[in-house]
């Protein structure tokens, strides 16, 4: 065999970590105290599948599903929770407090309003 050829018998790299909607819903149900109704799970599974097809990272979905389970919300709210998880910014640092001082140039500061 030539060293430059790909070995026969399949791919040489490991398959990417793929997660299905079924796997995520199974994890969701396992974390619940009581199994939710099938209608609820089917609706939630559909939302999860749509988000996975859209390219949402499974880690974001897991975090959103955790919030969803804790809050007990309607399945259609899941995209909003994913948005919340994905765009949760670190707490904004407030602007440093600056004490008020009289302006040295009154016309520039207030115009001709005084």
């Amino acid at each position: 065999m030539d060293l430059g050829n790909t070995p026969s018998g399949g791919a040489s790299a490991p398959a990417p970590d793929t997660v299905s909607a079924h796997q995520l819903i199974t994890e969701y149900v396992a974390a619940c105290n009581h199994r939710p109704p099938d209608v609820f799970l089917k609706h939630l599974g559909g939302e999860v599948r749509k988000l996975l097809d859209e390219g949402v990272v499974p880690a974001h979905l897991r975090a959103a599903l955790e919030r969803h389970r804790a809050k007990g919300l309607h399945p259609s709210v899941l995209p909003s929770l994913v948005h919340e998880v994905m765009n949760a910014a670190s707490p904004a640092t407030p602007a440093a407090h600056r004490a008020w001082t009289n302006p040295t140039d009154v016309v520039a500061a207030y115009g001709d309003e005084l």
Side-chain angles (χ1 to χ4, degrees):
M1 180 193 268
D2 188 13
L3 292 177
N5 290 340
T6 306
S8 60
S12 58
D17 183 29
T18 56
V19 177
S20 69
H22 180 73
Q23 290 171 312
L24 291 172
I25 294 300
T26 302
E27 292 172 13
Y28 180 89
V29 171
C32 292
N33 291 333
H34 302 284
R35 189 178 195 285
D38 283 338
V39 172
F40 177 87
L41 292 175
K42 286 179 184 177
H43 190 166
L44 188 61
E47 294 294 331
V48 170
R49 189 176 329 101
K50 287 178 201 172
L51 292 165
L52 282 172
D53 291 345
E54 208 174 295
V56 175
V57 179
H60 290 151
L61 271 169
R62 281 188 177 101
L65 284 167
E66 176 61 30
R67 289 183 186 197
H68 185 273
R69 188 185 58 75
K71 294 179 179 183
L73 301 170
H74 191 271
S76 63
V77 177
L78 185 62
S80 295
L81 293 173
V82 169
H83 170 72
E84 183 179 305
V85 167
M86 289 171 60
N87 295 301
S90 59
T93 55
H97 178 71
R98 199 174 107 202
W100 185 85
T101 58
N102 278 327
T104 54
D105 186 1
V106 175
V107 175
Y110 300 108
D112 288 330
E113 299 291 321
L114 292 177

